[in-house]
Coordinates of all heavy atoms in Angstrom, one line a residue:
M1 N -3.7 11.3 -8.7 CA -4.2 10.1 -8.0 C -3.2 9.0 -8.0 O -2.6 8.6 -9.0 CB -5.5 9.6 -8.8 CG -6.2 8.4 -8.1 SD -6.8 8.6 -6.5 CE -8.5 9.1 -6.7
K2 N -2.9 8.5 -6.8 CA -2.0 7.4 -6.6 C -2.7 6.2 -6.5 O -3.7 6.1 -5.6 CB -1.2 7.6 -5.3 CG 0.1 8.4 -5.5 CD 1.4 7.4 -5.6 CE 2.6 8.3 -5.8 NZ 3.2 8.2 -7.0
E3 N -2.4 5.2 -7.2 CA -3.0 3.9 -7.1 C -2.1 3.0 -6.4 O -1.0 2.7 -6.7 CB -3.4 3.3 -8.4 CG -4.6 4.0 -9.1 CD -4.9 3.3 -10.5 OE1 -4.4 2.3 -10.8 OE2 -5.8 3.9 -11.1
I4 N -2.6 2.5 -5.2 CA -1.9 1.6 -4.3 C -2.5 0.2 -4.4 O -3.6 0.0 -4.0 CB -1.7 2.0 -2.9 CG1 -1.1 3.5 -2.8 CG2 -1.0 1.1 -2.0 CD1 -0.9 4.1 -1.4
H5 N -1.8 -0.7 -5.0 CA -2.4 -2.2 -5.2 C -1.8 -3.0 -4.2 O -0.6 -3.1 -4.1 CB -2.0 -2.6 -6.6 CG -2.5 -1.8 -7.8 ND1 -3.6 -2.2 -8.5 CD2 -2.0 -0.6 -8.3 CE1 -3.7 -1.2 -9.5 NE2 -2.8 -0.3 -9.3
I6 N -2.6 -3.5 -3.4 CA -2.2 -4.4 -2.3 C -2.5 -5.9 -2.6 O -3.7 -6.2 -2.9 CB -2.8 -4.0 -1.0 CG1 -2.3 -2.5 -0.7 CG2 -2.3 -5.0 0.1 CD1 -3.4 -1.8 0.2
C7 N -1.4 -6.7 -2.5 CA -1.8 -8.1 -2.8 C -2.6 -8.9 -1.8 O -2.3 -8.7 -0.7 CB -0.4 -8.9 -3.0 SG -0.7 -10.6 -3.5
I8 N -3.7 -9.5 -2.4 CA -4.5 -10.3 -1.4 C -4.4 -11.7 -1.8 O -5.3 -12.5 -1.5 CB -5.9 -9.7 -1.4 CG1 -6.4 -9.7 -3.0 CG2 -6.1 -8.4 -0.8 CD1 -8.0 -9.5 -3.0
G9 N -3.3 -12.1 -2.4 CA -3.1 -13.5 -2.8 C -2.9 -14.4 -1.5 O -2.7 -13.7 -0.4
S10 N -2.8 -15.6 -1.5 CA -2.8 -16.5 -0.4 C -1.6 -16.3 0.4 O -1.6 -16.1 1.7 CB -3.1 -17.9 -0.6 OG -2.2 -18.3 -1.6
A11 N -0.3 -16.2 -0.1 CA 0.9 -16.0 0.6 C 0.8 -14.8 1.4 O 1.3 -14.6 2.5 CB 2.1 -16.2 -0.3
C12 N 0.4 -13.7 0.8 CA 0.5 -12.5 1.3 C -0.6 -12.2 2.3 O -0.5 -11.7 3.4 CB 0.3 -11.3 0.3 SG 1.7 -11.1 -0.7
H13 N -1.8 -13.0 2.2 CA -2.8 -13.0 3.2 C -2.2 -13.5 4.5 O -2.4 -13.0 5.6 CB -3.9 -13.8 2.7 CG -5.1 -13.9 3.7 ND1 -5.9 -12.9 3.9 CD2 -5.5 -14.9 4.6 CE1 -6.8 -13.1 4.8 NE2 -6.5 -14.4 5.3
V14 N -1.5 -14.6 4.4 CA -0.8 -15.2 5.5 C 0.1 -14.2 6.2 O 0.2 -14.2 7.6 CB -0.1 -16.5 5.1 CG1 0.7 -17.0 6.3 CG2 -1.1 -17.6 4.7
K15 N 0.7 -13.4 5.5 CA 1.7 -12.4 6.1 C 1.1 -11.2 6.6 O 1.8 -10.2 7.0 CB 2.8 -12.1 5.1 CG 3.7 -13.3 4.8 CD 4.7 -13.0 3.8 CE 5.3 -14.3 3.4 NZ 5.6 -14.2 1.9
G16 N -0.3 -11.1 6.5 CA -1.0 -9.8 7.1 C -1.5 -8.9 6.1 O -1.6 -7.7 6.4
S17 N -1.8 -9.3 4.8 CA -2.3 -8.3 3.9 C -3.6 -7.6 4.5 O -3.8 -6.5 4.2 CB -2.6 -8.9 2.6 OG -3.4 -9.9 2.6
Y18 N -4.4 -8.3 5.3 CA -5.6 -7.6 5.8 C -5.2 -6.5 6.7 O -5.7 -5.4 6.5 CB -6.4 -8.7 6.6 CG -7.7 -8.0 7.1 CD1 -8.8 -7.7 6.3 CD2 -7.8 -7.8 8.5 CE1 -9.9 -7.2 6.8 CE2 -8.9 -7.2 9.0 CZ -10.0 -6.9 8.2 OH -11.1 -6.3 8.8
Q19 N -4.2 -6.8 7.6 CA -3.7 -5.6 8.4 C -3.2 -4.4 7.6 O -3.3 -3.4 7.9 CB -2.7 -6.1 9.5 CG -3.3 -7.0 10.6 CD -3.2 -8.4 10.2 OE1 -3.6 -8.9 9.1 NE2 -2.4 -9.2 11.1
V20 N -2.4 -4.9 6.6 CA -1.7 -3.8 5.8 C -2.8 -2.9 5.1 O -2.8 -1.7 5.1 CB -0.9 -4.6 4.7 CG1 -0.4 -3.5 3.6 CG2 0.4 -5.2 5.3
V21 N -3.9 -3.6 4.6 CA -5.0 -2.9 3.9 C -5.6 -1.9 4.9 O -5.8 -0.7 4.6 CB -6.0 -3.8 3.3 CG1 -7.3 -3.0 2.8 CG2 -5.4 -4.6 2.1
Q22 N -5.9 -2.5 6.1 CA -6.5 -1.7 7.3 C -5.6 -0.5 7.6 O -6.1 0.6 7.6 CB -6.7 -2.4 8.5 CG -7.8 -3.5 8.3 CD -9.1 -2.9 7.8 OE1 -9.6 -2.0 8.3 NE2 -9.7 -3.6 6.8
R23 N -4.3 -0.6 7.7 CA -3.5 0.4 8.1 C -3.3 1.5 6.9 O -3.4 2.7 7.3 CB -2.0 -0.1 8.3 CG -1.1 0.9 9.0 CD -1.6 1.5 10.3 NE -0.9 2.7 10.6 CZ -1.4 3.8 11.3 NH1 -2.7 3.8 11.5 NH2 -0.7 4.8 11.5
F24 N -3.3 1.0 5.7 CA -3.4 2.0 4.6 C -4.6 2.9 4.6 O -4.6 4.1 4.5 CB -3.3 1.3 3.2 CG -1.8 1.1 2.7 CD1 -1.3 -0.1 2.5 CD2 -1.1 2.3 2.4 CE1 0.0 -0.3 2.1 CE2 0.2 2.1 2.0 CZ 0.8 0.8 1.7
K25 N -5.7 2.2 4.9 CA -7.0 2.9 5.0 C -7.1 3.9 6.1 O -7.4 5.1 5.9 CB -8.2 1.9 5.3 CG -8.7 1.2 4.1 CD -9.9 0.4 4.4 CE -10.3 -0.5 3.3 NZ -11.3 -1.5 3.7
E26 N -6.4 3.6 7.2 CA -6.4 4.6 8.4 C -5.5 5.7 8.0 O -6.0 6.9 8.3 CB -5.7 3.8 9.6 CG -6.7 2.9 10.3 CD -6.0 2.0 11.4 OE1 -4.8 2.4 11.8 OE2 -6.5 1.0 11.8
L27 N -4.5 5.5 7.4 CA -3.5 6.6 7.0 C -4.1 7.5 6.0 O -4.0 8.8 6.2 CB -2.2 6.0 6.4 CG -1.3 5.4 7.5 CD1 -0.1 4.6 6.8 CD2 -0.7 6.4 8.4
V28 N -4.8 7.0 5.1 CA -5.6 7.8 4.0 C -6.6 8.6 4.8 O -6.6 9.9 4.5 CB -6.2 7.0 2.9 CG1 -7.1 7.8 2.1 CG2 -5.1 6.2 2.1
A29 N -7.3 8.0 5.7 CA -8.3 8.8 6.4 C -7.8 9.8 7.3 O -8.2 11.0 7.3 CB -9.3 7.7 7.2
E30 N -6.7 9.4 8.0 CA -6.1 10.4 9.0 C -5.6 11.6 8.3 O -5.5 12.8 8.8 CB -4.8 9.8 9.7 CG -5.3 8.9 10.9 CD -4.1 8.0 11.3 OE1 -3.0 8.4 11.0 OE2 -4.3 7.1 12.1
R31 N -5.1 11.5 7.0 CA -4.4 12.6 6.4 C -5.3 13.3 5.4 O -4.9 14.1 4.6 CB -3.1 12.0 5.7 CG -2.2 11.5 6.7 CD -0.8 11.0 6.0 NE -0.1 10.3 7.1 CZ 1.2 9.9 6.8 NH1 1.8 10.3 5.8 NH2 1.8 9.2 7.8
G32 N -6.5 12.7 5.3 CA -7.6 13.3 4.4 C -7.2 13.1 2.9 O -7.3 14.1 2.1
L33 N -6.6 12.0 2.5 CA -6.1 11.9 1.2 C -7.0 11.0 0.2 O -6.7 10.4 -0.7 CB -4.8 11.2 1.2 CG -3.5 11.9 1.9 CD1 -2.4 11.1 2.1 CD2 -3.3 13.2 1.0
E34 N -8.3 10.9 0.7 CA -9.3 10.2 -0.1 C -9.4 10.5 -1.5 O -9.6 9.6 -2.3 CB -10.7 10.3 0.6 CG -10.9 9.5 1.9 CD -10.5 10.5 3.1 OE1 -9.9 11.5 2.9 OE2 -10.8 10.1 4.3
N35 N -9.1 11.7 -1.8 CA -9.1 12.2 -3.2 C -7.8 11.9 -4.0 O -7.7 12.2 -5.2 CB -9.6 13.6 -3.4 CG -11.0 13.7 -2.9 OD1 -11.9 12.8 -3.0 ND2 -11.4 14.8 -2.3
E36 N -6.8 11.6 -3.3 CA -5.5 11.5 -3.8 C -4.9 10.1 -4.0 O -4.1 9.8 -4.7 CB -4.5 12.3 -3.2 CG -4.8 13.9 -3.3 CD -3.8 14.6 -2.6 OE1 -2.6 14.3 -2.6 OE2 -4.1 15.6 -1.9
V37 N -5.5 9.2 -3.1 CA -5.0 7.8 -3.1 C -6.2 6.8 -3.3 O -7.2 7.0 -2.6 CB -4.4 7.6 -1.6 CG1 -3.8 6.1 -1.6 CG2 -3.1 8.5 -1.5
E38 N -5.9 5.9 -4.2 CA -7.0 4.9 -4.3 C -6.3 3.5 -3.9 O -5.3 3.2 -4.4 CB -7.3 4.9 -5.8 CG -8.5 3.9 -5.9 CD -9.2 4.1 -7.3 OE1 -8.7 4.9 -8.1 OE2 -10.3 3.5 -7.4
L39 N -7.0 2.8 -3.0 CA -6.4 1.5 -2.6 C -7.2 0.5 -3.3 O -8.5 0.4 -3.5 CB -6.7 1.3 -1.0 CG -6.0 2.4 -0.2 CD1 -6.4 2.2 1.3 CD2 -4.5 2.3 -0.2
M40 N -6.4 -0.5 -3.8 CA -7.1 -1.6 -4.6 C -6.4 -3.0 -4.2 O -5.2 -3.0 -3.9 CB -6.8 -1.4 -6.1 CG -7.3 -0.1 -6.6 SD -6.5 0.4 -8.1 CE -8.1 0.3 -9.2
G41 N -7.1 -4.0 -4.4 CA -6.6 -5.3 -4.1 C -6.1 -5.8 -5.4 O -6.6 -5.5 -6.5
T42 N -5.1 -6.7 -5.3 CA -4.7 -7.3 -6.5 C -4.3 -8.8 -6.3 O -4.0 -9.1 -5.1 CB -3.5 -6.5 -7.2 OG1 -3.0 -7.2 -8.3 CG2 -2.3 -6.5 -6.1
F43 N -4.3 -9.6 -7.3 CA -3.9 -11.0 -7.1 C -2.4 -11.1 -7.1 O -1.7 -10.1 -7.1 CB -4.5 -11.8 -8.3 CG -6.0 -11.9 -8.1 CD1 -6.7 -11.3 -9.1 CD2 -6.6 -12.4 -7.0 CE1 -8.1 -11.3 -9.0 CE2 -8.0 -12.5 -6.9 CZ -8.8 -11.9 -7.8
C44 N -1.9 -12.3 -6.8 CA -0.4 -12.5 -6.6 C 0.4 -11.7 -7.6 O 0.2 -11.7 -8.9 CB -0.1 -14.0 -6.7 SG 1.6 -14.3 -6.4
L45 N 1.4 -11.0 -7.1 CA 2.3 -10.2 -7.9 C 3.6 -10.9 -8.0 O 4.6 -10.3 -8.5 CB 2.5 -8.8 -7.2 CG 1.3 -8.0 -7.0 CD1 1.5 -6.8 -6.1 CD2 0.9 -7.4 -8.5
D46 N 3.7 -12.2 -7.8 CA 5.0 -12.9 -7.8 C 6.1 -12.3 -7.0 O 7.2 -12.2 -7.4 CB 5.5 -13.0 -9.3 CG 4.6 -14.0 -10.1 OD1 4.2 -14.9 -9.4 OD2 4.3 -13.8 -11.3
A47 N 5.7 -11.8 -5.9 CA 6.7 -11.3 -5.0 C 6.4 -11.7 -3.5 O 6.4 -11.0 -2.7 CB 6.7 -9.6 -5.0
C48 N 6.1 -13.0 -3.5 CA 5.6 -13.5 -2.2 C 6.8 -13.8 -1.3 O 6.7 -14.9 -0.4 CB 4.9 -14.8 -2.4 SG 3.9 -15.0 -3.9
S49 N 8.0 -13.1 -1.3 CA 9.0 -13.7 -0.5 C 9.0 -13.1 0.8 O 9.1 -13.8 1.8 CB 10.3 -13.3 -1.3 OG 10.2 -11.8 -1.6
D50 N 8.9 -11.7 1.0 CA 9.3 -11.1 2.4 C 8.2 -10.1 2.6 O 8.5 -8.9 2.4 CB 10.6 -10.5 2.2 CG 11.1 -9.9 3.6 OD1 10.7 -10.5 4.6 OD2 11.9 -8.9 3.5
G51 N 7.1 -10.5 3.2 CA 6.1 -9.6 3.5 C 5.1 -9.4 2.4 O 5.0 -10.3 1.5
V52 N 4.1 -8.6 2.6 CA 3.0 -8.3 1.7 C 3.3 -7.5 0.5 O 4.1 -6.4 0.6 CB 1.8 -7.7 2.5 CG1 0.7 -7.4 1.6 CG2 1.5 -8.5 3.6
A53 N 3.1 -8.0 -0.7 CA 3.4 -7.2 -1.9 C 2.5 -6.0 -2.1 O 1.2 -6.2 -2.0 CB 3.4 -8.1 -3.2
V54 N 3.1 -4.9 -2.5 CA 2.3 -3.6 -2.7 C 2.9 -3.1 -3.9 O 4.1 -2.8 -4.2 CB 2.4 -2.7 -1.5 CG1 1.9 -1.4 -1.9 CG2 1.9 -3.3 -0.4
K55 N 2.0 -2.8 -4.9 CA 2.5 -2.2 -6.2 C 2.0 -0.8 -6.4 O 0.8 -0.5 -6.3 CB 2.0 -3.1 -7.4 CG 2.5 -2.6 -8.7 CD 2.3 -3.8 -9.7 CE 1.9 -3.2 -11.0 NZ 0.7 -3.7 -11.7
V56 N 3.0 0.1 -6.7 CA 2.6 1.5 -7.0 C 3.4 1.9 -8.2 O 4.6 1.7 -8.2 CB 3.0 2.4 -5.8 CG1 2.6 3.8 -6.0 CG2 2.4 1.9 -4.5
D57 N 2.8 2.5 -9.2 CA 3.5 2.9 -10.4 C 4.5 1.9 -11.0 O 5.7 2.1 -11.3 CB 4.3 4.1 -10.1 CG 3.4 5.4 -9.8 OD1 2.2 5.2 -10.1 OD2 3.9 6.3 -9.2
D58 N 3.9 0.6 -11.1 CA 4.8 -0.5 -11.6 C 6.0 -0.8 -10.7 O 6.9 -1.4 -11.1 CB 5.2 -0.2 -13.1 CG 4.0 -0.4 -14.0 OD1 3.2 -1.2 -13.7 OD2 4.0 0.4 -15.1
H59 N 6.1 -0.3 -9.5 CA 7.1 -0.6 -8.6 C 6.6 -1.5 -7.5 O 5.5 -1.1 -7.0 CB 7.8 0.7 -8.0 CG 9.0 0.5 -7.3 ND1 10.2 0.5 -7.8 CD2 9.3 -0.1 -6.1 CE1 11.2 0.2 -7.0 NE2 10.6 -0.2 -5.9
I60 N 7.2 -2.6 -7.3 CA 6.7 -3.5 -6.2 C 7.5 -3.4 -5.0 O 8.7 -3.5 -5.0 CB 6.7 -5.0 -6.7 CG1 5.7 -5.0 -7.9 CG2 6.3 -5.9 -5.6 CD1 5.6 -6.4 -8.6
Y61 N 6.9 -3.1 -3.9 CA 7.4 -3.1 -2.5 C 6.9 -4.3 -1.8 O 5.8 -4.8 -2.2 CB 6.9 -1.9 -1.9 CG 7.2 -0.5 -2.5 CD1 6.3 0.0 -3.4 CD2 8.3 0.3 -2.2 CE1 6.5 1.3 -4.0 CE2 8.7 1.4 -2.9 CZ 7.6 1.9 -3.7 OH 7.9 3.1 -4.3
T62 N 7.7 -4.7 -0.8 CA 7.1 -5.6 0.1 C 7.1 -5.0 1.6 O 8.0 -4.3 1.9 CB 7.9 -6.9 0.2 OG1 9.2 -6.7 0.5 CG2 7.7 -7.8 -1.2
V63 N 6.0 -5.2 2.2 CA 5.9 -4.5 3.5 C 5.3 -5.5 4.5 O 4.4 -6.3 4.2 CB 5.1 -3.3 3.4 CG1 3.7 -3.6 2.9 CG2 5.2 -2.5 4.6
K64 N 5.7 -5.3 5.9 CA 5.1 -6.0 6.9 C 4.0 -5.0 7.5 O 4.3 -3.8 7.4 CB 6.1 -6.4 8.0 CG 7.1 -7.3 7.4 CD 7.8 -8.2 8.4 CE 8.7 -9.3 7.8 NZ 9.9 -8.8 7.2
P65 N 3.0 -5.6 8.2 CA 2.0 -4.6 8.7 C 2.6 -3.4 9.5 O 2.2 -2.3 9.4 CB 1.2 -5.5 9.6 CG 1.2 -6.8 9.0 CD 2.7 -7.0 8.4
E66 N 3.7 -3.7 10.3 CA 4.2 -2.6 11.1 C 5.1 -1.5 10.3 O 5.5 -0.6 10.7 CB 5.1 -3.1 12.2 CG 6.3 -4.1 11.8 CD 5.9 -5.6 11.7 OE1 4.7 -5.8 11.5 OE2 6.8 -6.4 11.7
G67 N 5.3 -2.0 9.0 CA 6.1 -1.1 8.1 C 5.3 -0.2 7.2 O 5.9 0.5 6.4
V68 N 3.9 -0.2 7.4 CA 3.0 0.4 6.5 C 3.3 1.9 6.5 O 3.3 2.6 5.5 CB 1.6 0.0 6.7 CG1 0.7 0.9 5.8 CG2 1.4 -1.5 6.3
D69 N 3.4 2.4 7.8 CA 3.5 3.9 7.8 C 4.7 4.5 7.1 O 4.7 5.5 6.3 CB 3.7 4.4 9.3 CG 2.4 4.1 10.2 OD1 1.8 3.0 10.1 OD2 2.1 5.0 10.9
Q70 N 5.8 3.8 7.3 CA 7.1 4.3 6.5 C 7.0 4.1 5.0 O 7.3 5.0 4.3 CB 8.2 3.3 7.0 CG 9.5 3.9 6.8 CD 10.6 2.9 7.1 OE1 10.4 1.9 7.8 NE2 11.8 3.1 6.7
L71 N 6.3 3.0 4.6 CA 6.2 2.9 3.2 C 5.2 3.9 2.6 O 5.4 4.4 1.6 CB 5.6 1.4 2.8 CG 5.2 1.2 1.3 CD1 6.6 1.2 0.5 CD2 4.6 -0.2 1.1
F72 N 4.1 4.3 3.3 CA 3.2 5.2 2.9 C 3.9 6.6 2.6 O 3.6 7.2 1.7 CB 2.1 5.3 3.9 CG 0.9 6.1 3.4 CD1 0.0 5.5 2.4 CD2 0.7 7.4 3.9 CE1 -1.0 6.3 2.0 CE2 -0.4 8.1 3.4 CZ -1.3 7.6 2.5
D73 N 4.8 6.9 3.6 CA 5.5 8.2 3.6 C 6.4 8.2 2.3 O 6.6 9.1 1.5 CB 6.4 8.4 4.8 CG 5.6 8.9 5.9 OD1 4.5 9.3 5.7 OD2 6.1 8.7 7.0
Q74 N 7.0 7.0 2.1 CA 7.9 6.8 0.9 C 7.0 7.0 -0.5 O 7.5 7.6 -1.3 CB 8.5 5.4 1.0 CG 9.8 5.2 0.1 CD 10.2 3.7 0.3 OE1 10.0 3.2 1.4 NE2 10.7 3.2 -0.8
I75 N 5.9 6.4 -0.4 CA 5.1 6.4 -1.6 C 4.6 7.8 -1.9 O 4.6 8.4 -3.0 CB 3.9 5.5 -1.5 CG1 4.3 4.0 -1.5 CG2 2.9 5.8 -2.6 CD1 3.2 3.1 -1.1
M76 N 4.3 8.5 -0.8 CA 3.6 10.0 -1.0 C 4.7 11.0 -1.2 O 4.4 12.1 -1.7 CB 2.8 10.3 0.2 CG 1.7 9.4 0.4 SD 0.6 9.1 -1.1 CE -0.1 10.6 -1.4
E77 N 6.0 10.7 -0.9 CA 7.0 11.7 -1.2 C 7.2 11.9 -2.7 O 7.0 10.9 -3.4 CB 8.4 11.0 -0.7 CG 9.0 11.6 0.5 CD 10.3 10.8 0.9 OE1 11.0 10.4 0.0 OE2 10.3 10.6 2.1
G78 N 7.6 13.1 -3.0 CA 7.6 13.3 -4.4 C 6.4 13.5 -5.2 O 6.3 13.6 -6.4
N79 N 5.3 13.4 -4.5 CA 3.9 13.5 -5.0 C 3.5 15.0 -4.7 O 2.4 15.3 -4.9 CB 3.1 12.5 -4.4 CG 1.8 12.4 -5.3 OD1 1.9 12.6 -6.5 ND2 0.7 12.1 -4.7
N80 N 4.3 15.8 -4.0 CA 3.9 17.0 -3.7 C 3.8 18.0 -4.8 O 4.7 18.2 -5.6 CB 4.8 17.7 -2.6 CG 4.8 16.8 -1.4 OD1 3.9 16.1 -1.0 ND2 6.0 16.7 -0.7
G81 N 2.7 18.6 -4.9 CA 2.5 19.6 -5.9 C 2.4 19.2 -7.4 O 2.5 20.0 -8.3
C82 N 2.3 18.0 -7.5 CA 2.1 17.6 -9.0 C 0.9 16.7 -9.1 O 1.0 15.5 -9.5 CB 3.4 16.7 -9.5 SG 3.9 15.4 -8.5
H83 N -0.3 17.2 -8.7 CA -1.4 16.5 -9.1 C -2.1 17.1 -10.3 O -2.2 18.1 -10.6 CB -2.5 16.4 -8.0 CG -2.1 16.8 -6.7 ND1 -1.6 16.0 -5.7 CD2 -2.0 18.1 -6.2 CE1 -1.2 16.8 -4.7 NE2 -1.4 18.0 -4.9
Ligands
FES1 S1 0.6 -13.9 -2.9 FE1 1.2 -11.8 -2.8 S2 2.8 -11.6 -4.3 FE2 2.2 -13.7 -4.3

């Protein structure tokens, strides 16, 4: 199970965290990964610089709404065959 924590702090909200969450939800549904991916909201991750902060396995990424597809692929890579 991958936990994807998406910042819903005020700075990230302004940069589109709502759209980021929606796109992650769509991708999870499209790929049928409901049992493998858990989406969670989190408060400010102190990474409010460039886009919306997303934390996975203690790694913090920043993403814009249009970059979610690419980030999702990056997160799911290396997760093959090891659940
Ligand atoms: S508000 Fe998202 S990292 Fe600070």
Side-chain angles (χ1 to χ4, degrees):
M1 177 65 95
K2 274 256 181 252
E3 289 182 4
I4 301 181
H5 302 258
I6 300 153
C7 178
I8 51 167
S10 50
C12 288
H13 180 76
V14 170
K15 289 177 195 140
S17 57
Y18 180 76
Q19 287 98 305
V20 169
V21 171
Q22 290 306 311
R23 187 61 193 142
F24 269 117
K25 278 190 189 162
E26 284 171 17
L27 287 167
V28 168
E30 276 170 18
R31 299 184 192 189
L33 294 171
E34 288 88 347
N35 294 326
E36 290 180 46
V37 176
E38 188 163 10
L39 299 174
M40 304 164 115
T42 179
F43 294 114
C44 181
L45 295 167
D46 285 327
C48 330
S49 50
D50 184 31
V52 176
V54 174
K55 183 166 143 228
V56 184
D57 294 338
D58 287 329
H59 191 97
I60 294 177
Y61 304 88
T62 55
V63 65
K64 302 205 167 73
E66 60 272 23
V68 172
D69 291 47
Q70 198 186 348
L71 176 63
F72 191 74
D73 285 340
Q74 197 180 328
I75 291 169
M76 297 314 290
E77 250 174 40
N79 196 34
N80 298 333
C82 55
H83 349 264

